[in-house]
Amino acid sequence: MKRAYAIIGAIASIAALVQANTDLVTLSTPGAAWIQEVDATVILPQLPNPVSGHNSLWSAIYTDNSKSFMQGVSAVGPGDTYCGAAGTTTWCNNAYTLTGTAPNWNIFHGTSVTAGPSTAVRTHYKLNPTTQLWDQNMYVNGKLVSTLSMSKGEHGDLFYISIECAAGTCAPHPTHSWQDVSIVLSQADMSFQHTGAWASGATGGVMSTPDGGKTWNFTTLHVPEQKAKQ
């Protein structure tokens, strides 16, 4: 039941922050296991046409019943806060974390960098066993560009891959893909596996485990063109 409340709370918190959001992949930890590491790479698509709102693509981890919301974000749109004018003509990318509750979020972010279509943007999240901080590292075409280390001792409850319209009137998010997605749990849990279709027409993303349910690897996830919706 705790996980169900976590999902409901997470959805409510996101809804309070954005105009529209579609979660393509949602995975919760149903038992004693929790998420301790995630790797996810988005291949950036063409820009929305037109760039009329603030479109974003992200992977994310929610921790401990919504204490922290850690994201690797790629966004484009008018009034971009992090890349300035450049963020209206190309994708703006950063490691990003929200804490607290809507509408009084605490916002933390690493260095923001721009990248164009077909760029591989990888975010690696790991609970550092030495510091007990979550290290978020974002790489653009293999180069480390944006980092955060925070959320000490927290455990991952939920994993997402999503599209979002944060502001304005957004055009559809273009077709894109997520590659080399993997999740490591604190202990093996075969019930973590998702079977069947993902949400909103996303295809692929078949999960498999090489070690009885502790590590989960995904085949490439393909996301069709679509508008974000609540």
Side-chain angles (χ1 to χ4, degrees):
M1 184 62 71
K2 183 186 82 167
R3 305 302 184 191
Y5 285 132
I7 293 171
I8 292 167
I11 292 170
S13 295
I14 294 168
L17 183 67
V18 304
Q19 290 195 10
N21 180 87
T22 298
D23 296 324
L24 305 158
V25 170
T26 304
L27 285 168
S28 64
T29 49
W34 42 269
I35 296 168
Q36 65 180 24
E37 184 175 2
V38 168
D39 220 327
T41 299
V42 63
I43 306 302
L44 294 179
Q46 298 298 314
L47 298 182
N49 185 18
V51 179
S52 52
H54 200 263
N55 292 68
S56 64
L57 323 167
W58 42 265
S59 62
I61 302 172
Y62 246 119
T63 71
D64 288 342
N65 288 332
S66 307
K67 281 187 179 178
S68 297
F69 188 40
M70 301 179 287
Q71 298 172 284
V73 179
S74 300
V76 63
D80 181 83
T81 305
Y82 301 110
C83 291
T88 65
T89 58
T90 191
W91 293 100
C92 180
N93 310 272
N94 58 31
Y96 185 90
T97 291
L98 295 170
T99 64
T101 57
N104 300 311
W105 293 104
N106 303 304
I107 299 174
F108 305 87
H109 63 89
T111 301
S112 301
V113 298
T114 57
S118 300
T119 300
V121 178
R122 172 194 173 210
T123 304
H124 180 235
Y125 314 77
K126 185 174 183 178
L127 182 60
N128 187 311
T130 302
T131 64
Q132 287 299 300
L133 296 172
W134 276 92
D135 294 331
Q136 290 172 255
N137 293 319
M138 176 177 276
Y139 303 81
V140 171
N141 284 340
K143 180 182 178 181
L144 180 63
V145 296
S146 187
T147 65
L148 281 176
S149 291
M150 54 183 300
S151 306
K152 189 169 185 175
E154 296 177 18
H155 295 162
D157 280 344
L158 296 161
F159 170 70
Y160 293 104
I161 289 176
S162 305
I163 59 173
E164 176 185 303
C165 177
T169 302
C170 293
H173 289 70
T175 299
H176 59 283
S177 65
W178 288 86
Q179 299 180 358
D180 301 322
V181 176
S182 65
I183 300 173
V184 181
L185 303 179
S186 59
Q187 63 187 57
D189 186 348
M190 289 301 296
S191 68
F192 185 70
Q193 184 174 20
H194 171 90
T195 57
W198 294 109
S200 300
T203 58
V206 177
M207 296 175 65
S208 62
T209 175
D211 55 10
K214 190 174 191 292
T215 304
W216 292 94
N217 300 316
F218 295 63
T219 60
T220 299
L221 181 79
H222 301 279
V223 181
E225 180 180 88
Q226 61 189 286
K227 281 195 170 188
K229 58 184 181 295
Q230 290 289 25

